[in-house]
Amino acid sequence: MPAPLHPCAAFILLLLLAAGSALAAQPRPFDARYHVQVDGWPSTTVEHRLSRDGTYWQSDMRATVAVARGHERSRFIADETIRALHYASGYRLLGIGKNYELEGEALARLPDRQSALFDLSRRAVADDCEATCRLRYLDHRGREERVDYRRLDRGILDLPAGRFEAVRVEVTEPDDPDRRMVFSFHPGVPGLLLAMEYHRNGEQRSHLTLTHLTLASDGLASSPKGN
């Protein structure tokens, strides 16, 4: 049986499985596919789609492993700030699971975590936060969560999907900085995650890597391998 997950590692699975500023780039629809490996679990493929429906944007993540599957979907408005409108998710483990939904007053107070991930990607590029900043959001049950983040140096990532410039952000829990995640975002495509690592007590416990990317229009600065 898979080893139990610490809540911070569970955040990764729930974000990916069931797992703003005026200066930021404008959103662009995309379809992305990732390879994910978490210690004690089989590796899996995660699909993430960002699409537009009129004035709304929708972020949809889903994945399946041998004994579990999950999805998350969020609808929001992406102006100078993010306004979350509706969130739905569902998870199954060994055939047993539950569905969740957030909307109305709850999301008027804080964004869901899909909207928050999109917001974090824009803050990573445009924020003028000099040290550590805080992001507040609602988990799938509607409970408030807090994480601290700080921007790291930019870098170049050679991934199965191509070669990309990346804006890197370190995310930690306020009460436990030994558990941290490093997100790598594309600076020109808000919400597009290129890679992610989860570290605990100085050791990398899981990672996510972009393996395929399709954009609705041309212009992404990437160099696919083999071309």
Side-chain angles (χ1 to χ4, degrees), residues 10-11 35-36 59 76 79 100 112 117 137 189 204 215 218 223:
F11 170 85
H35 175 80
V36 181
S59 177
F76 55 90
D79 293 327
Y100 301 90
D112 61 87
L117 180 67
Y137 63 94
V189 185
Q204 180 175 305
L215 287 168
D218 296 333
S223 301

Side-chain angles (χ1 to χ4, degrees), residues 2-11 13 38-39 41 200:
L5 292 178
H6 181 271
C8 189
F11 170 85
L13 282 180
V38 179
D39 283 358
W41 287 76
R200 179 180 177 184

